Each structure stands twice: as structure tokens, then as C-alpha cells.
Amino acid sequence: MRSGDESSKKPRVAKAARVQSKDRDMGAALRTVYQKTVDEVIPPDLLDLLSKLD
């Protein structure tokens, strides 16, 4: 019975590694999208509208 327990642990480790890899990939993708948004130029007409709010 013990050997069955050991073999069932290996897929869990592999699955955990796949989940960590997907989490890392998702985090990298989100950081990339966020950085592109931060770096985006604000159109002059929007800046003009915002200045009128003051």
C-alpha cells in the first residue's frame, strides 16, 4: 500500500509545478499589460478636458 501512496504523490508534485508555472505566466502577462497601460500616452484632448475640471 505504501508504494501506491508514493506513486500518487508524484503526479501531485508535477501538477503543483504546472500550476506554479501557469501562475507565473499569468503574473508576467498581467505585469506586461499593466506596464503598457501606465506607459500609454494620454491624448491631448483628454488632458484638456481634465484641466477644465480644476
Side-chain angles (χ1 to χ4, degrees):
M1 185 158 194
R2 216 173 213 188
S3 63
D5 290 342
E6 290 175 13
S7 64
S8 67
K9 288 182 183 178
K10 289 181 182 179
R12 287 184 184 164
V13 171
K15 184 177 180 181
R18 283 193 306 258
V19 169
Q20 284 181 338
S21 176
K22 286 182 181 181
D23 287 349
R24 191 173 334 140
D25 293 345
M26 179 68 75
L30 288 171
R31 282 189 294 278
T32 299
V33 169
Y34 176 79
Q35 192 59 50
K36 286 181 179 181
T37 303
V38 169
D39 293 340
E40 209 170 280
V41 176
I42 301 171
D45 54 338
L46 182 58
L47 288 173
D48 185 45
L49 282 172
L50 289 172
S51 69
K52 292 177 181 178
L53 290 174
D54 287 339

